[in-house]
Every structure is written in C-alpha cells, then in structure tokens.
Amino acid sequence: MKAWEANIRRVTPYTPGEQPDKPKMIKLNTNENPYPPAPGVKKAIEELDADCLRLYPDPTASVLVNALADYYHVKPEQVFVGVGSDDVLAMAFMTFFNSDKPILFPDITYSFYPVWAEEFRIPYETVAVDEGLRIVKEDYYRENGGVIFPNPNAPTALALGISDVEDIIRRNQDVIVIVDEAYVDFGAESALGLVDQYENLLVVQTFSKSRSMAGMRIGFAVGSPTLIKYLNDVKYSFNSYTMNQTSLKCGVEAVRDRVYFHETTEKIIRTREHAKEVLRQMGFTFPDSKANFLFISHPEYSARDLFEALKKEDIYVRYFSLPRISEYLRVTIGTDEQMEAFYAFLRRYMKK
C-alpha cells in the first residue's frame, strides 16, 4: 500500500440494477414505471427555453417545493427536495444520524442503508425480519441512534400498517425516525399524516416509481419545519444548487396532473394483482406485495438459474445473492404485454 492510500476512505459500494439497452428487451429489474410521465412533463421539455440553462437554478427549488406542499397539504417549510430520494436519504443520514449509538434498520432492506452508514461512519445494527420477511415493530423498542425503514420494504414488498409505523415512531421520540416511502403509492398507507404529530419524523418519497421519472432524479422529504431547516443547512453547505432547471419545471408538471398519476398507479396495481394470480397458479410463492414489484420464489426451481435463463431471453429481473433471500427474484410490474411475455417464458421454462 502506498502511503497516500492509508488516508483514502473505503466503502463497499451499492450495486445498482443492471441497465441494459436492447431494442426488444423486457426490463423488469429496477422498479421503473413502464408508462411515460404525465403529458405535461413532455410539454415542459418541448417548451423549455434553453437560455435558462446558462443561469443557476433557484437554490430553494421553491416552485417544486410549493407544488409538493400544495399537493400533500403541508407548509412549504415542511418540504425538502433533492436529486432523487437517494440524495435526500444521504443528506438525512449525514444530518440526523450522528449519535454514538447505532442506528437501526432491517437486515433485509434497501441495500444503500449500510453503504451510507459506512461512508459517513455511522454505527448501525441490522434488525432481523421474521420468517415471513416481515418487520417486527417490537424489535425497534430499544435504545438507538435513529431508525430508518422502507414502507413498503424492499425487496420484500411488504408494508407495515400505519398503526405499527406509528408505534415505532412513538417509541423512538428521542431520535429521528425516517420512513422511506419509495413504493407507498402502490397500496400502502403513508405516514405523511403523522408529521405534524411527531416532530422527529421524516417521510421520504420519490418521483422515480409512481411518477415515471427515474431518469429525471427527483426525491423529496416531508417533516417538521425544524427537521427541514437542518436538512437545508447541510444541503447549502454541500451543494446549493442540487435541483436543475429542467427537473424543477418537469417535477411541477408531474405533481399537477393528479388524474394521470392515479390512473397510472391504479393500472400497475391491477396488473400486479393479476400477476399474483398467474404466478401462484404456477407454484410461485411471494409476500403480499404493496409495491410495484413482486418478490417471488419457487420450490422446484433455482432463482439464480431462472435469473440467468430469463436474461438469455432479454428478460431482466433482479437477483440478490444474499443470505435468506438467495432463492427469490424481484420482478418489477411491467405493462400487461410485458408481463404476458414473462409468463410465457416461465411456462416454457417449467415444461423442460
């Protein structure tokens, strides 16, 4: 090792889902929305005045903050926006998790959590989900430096009921509790209604899933004005101009079109529920998803072998070579046509 290498911070990086680019592929591996963004988003891009790009964007992102505040019936000072929910969550880790006590999150969950904890040198402990892959709320009723969990959880797709979510918050009022709601719009109940009751609660959501804007990178948090102020203080000390001009304009249009938003999410929910019926008939088992994906397993077929066979047919799903979940595949809900092609492959594969 060279002398200068001794002072380099080393972390095990997060591994994102594969991003293939093939003309006829069926991409069900990264939980993107299979439908386009709201029509107003396309119009905003077409009408964008390129001259605005020579100017710095509004560092407060007020146009988007105000749109979100109006949509979710909160005050603008309760909203924080960032470059995808990953950016928002990283800022939250940096801002709120600075205790000597370990933060708590599930052992099977979003795999970026331990990466941020290691990067920011935050002590952490993982809390085992039960045999049914469910978060056990009572396991978070102990001393800690903060709590974070997705609801619905990833990659299991299971959601806690709002009363269980509130129990975790209520039992941890001396630390910050972050509820990561990337998939909440597909059937779970949001904790947003609790932010005025619990000053220590931060709810984080994203435009990447239900609003079809993974490529635009927009995320946001809602919490007490105190928490949002602390987040902004860190943001302005790190990068004042996190949201670009295009994201601000398109983000506002995505929020404004409530009808399209509900139509799209309902369409995905219907396809998901049909997928449950089809896959169950094929012998697959899975937790009861409240997200835009299913976490499937089959007693007679290796998940890794099935993953590789699908990939050869340009059908991409997500495989995790991790303890307790190495026999599961995470399958994003696509269009009805994409899902039918997926089912057809499975029928051919299982007849061999």
Side-chain angles (χ1 to χ4, degrees):
M1 180 184 292
K2 297 179 177 65
W4 50 263
E5 288 184 277
N7 296 315
I8 293 176
R9 180 170 297 187
R10 291 176 174 81
V11 295
T12 302
Y14 169 76
T15 302
E18 187 175 357
Q19 293 290 350
D21 185 15
K22 296 184 178 181
K24 294 184 179 181
M25 69 179 180
I26 297 176
K27 192 170 183 295
L28 307 175
N29 67 327
T30 49
N31 296 344
E32 294 144 323
N33 195 312
Y35 302 107
V41 174
K42 180 180 179 182
K43 185 177 180 183
I45 293 173
E46 292 172 344
E47 296 179 353
L48 181 70
D49 180 1
D51 189 55
C52 77
L53 301 182
R54 67 182 178 81
L55 302 173
Y56 283 112
D58 173 12
T60 69
S62 60
V63 64
L64 181 55
V65 165
N66 289 334
L68 287 165
D70 178 66
Y71 186 92
Y72 290 106
H73 306 293
V74 295
K75 300 173 184 175
E77 55 266 34
Q78 291 181 273
V79 179
F80 175 88
V81 297
V83 187
S85 61
D86 286 340
D87 178 51
V88 175
L89 288 165
M91 289 285 179
F93 268 64
M94 198 186 316
T95 304
F96 301 123
F97 294 157
N98 292 289
S99 169
D100 293 333
K101 300 171 187 175
I103 64 170
L104 305 179
F105 50 80
D107 65 334
I108 298 175
T109 195
Y110 186 31
S111 52
F112 229 139
Y113 296 164
V115 174
W116 288 318
E118 291 171 12
E119 183 173 4
F120 301 136
R121 299 178 180 174
I122 300 166
Y124 70 93
E125 292 179 8
T126 59
V127 182
V129 295
D130 69 12
E131 290 302 311
L133 303 179
R134 294 179 293 266
I135 291 172
V136 180
K137 65 177 182 178
E138 290 83 3
D139 291 341
Y140 295 83
Y141 299 173
R142 59 186 171 94
E143 193 173 28
N144 61 73
V147 175
I148 180 169
F149 59 93
N151 198 47
N153 196 9
T156 67
L158 285 168
L160 284 173
I162 195 63
S163 61
D164 290 340
V165 172
E166 184 173 9
D167 272 352
I168 294 175
I169 301 163
R170 184 167 49 82
R171 299 270 189 151
N172 289 280
Q173 293 187 61
D174 57 342
V175 298
I176 304 302
V177 178
I178 301 174
V179 183
D180 182 355
E181 295 187 341
Y183 304 101
V184 75
D185 295 318
F186 300 102
E189 189 173 355
S190 175
L192 283 170
L194 300 174
V195 294
D196 288 333
Q197 186 175 346
Y198 297 97
E199 192 178 28
N200 64 315
L201 170 63
L202 190 74
V203 178
V204 178
Q205 294 191 16
T206 178
F207 282 43
S208 296
K209 318 301 180 186
S210 55
R211 297 191 187 277
S212 307
M213 295 180 70
M216 190 62 74
R217 312 307 299 127
I218 302 174
F220 65 97
V222 177
S224 68
T226 301
L227 292 192
I228 300 306
K229 179 186 182 303
Y230 286 136
L231 269 176
N232 276 315
D233 287 347
V234 171
K235 182 188 90 165
Y236 295 141
S237 302
F238 184 78
N239 180 359
S240 297
Y241 304 103
T242 55
M243 301 298 297
N244 64 64
Q245 299 276 27
T246 308
S247 294
L248 292 174
K249 294 178 185 297
C250 293
V252 168
E253 293 303 322
V255 174
R256 283 177 176 165
D257 198 334
R258 297 171 185 247
V259 173
Y260 184 85
F261 170 73
H262 290 295
E263 286 177 350
T264 303
T265 53
E266 286 300 320
K267 194 182 301 184
I268 290 169
I269 290 170
R270 286 195 300 270
T271 304
R272 181 193 68 202
E273 295 306 299
H274 178 65
K276 290 178 182 179
E277 296 176 10
V278 174
L279 292 170
R280 195 175 288 117
Q281 290 171 3
M282 292 185 188
F284 285 93
T285 60
F286 40 84
D288 186 24
S289 172
K290 296 297 182 183
N292 68 333
F293 60 90
L294 295 173
F295 199 48
I296 67 173
S297 181
H298 199 291
E300 299 177 23
Y301 299 95
S302 158
R304 183 187 289 274
D305 291 348
L306 186 51
F307 165 76
E308 295 294 347
L310 283 160
K311 192 172 178 179
K312 288 178 181 177
E313 296 293 316
D314 290 336
I315 302 174
Y316 293 85
V317 298
R318 191 78 189 269
Y319 173 70
F320 299 91
S321 182
L322 296 170
R324 302 184 68 189
I325 59 171
S326 60
E327 286 303 324
Y328 286 85
L329 296 175
R330 193 190 70 190
V331 182
T332 304
I333 301 301
T335 63
D336 289 335
E337 293 76 17
Q338 289 174 326
M339 298 306 291
E340 289 298 331
F342 173 63
Y343 308 146
F345 171 83
L346 292 177
R347 293 186 183 102
R348 294 194 302 271
Y349 183 86
M350 295 166 72
K351 285 180 180 178
K352 289 183 180 179

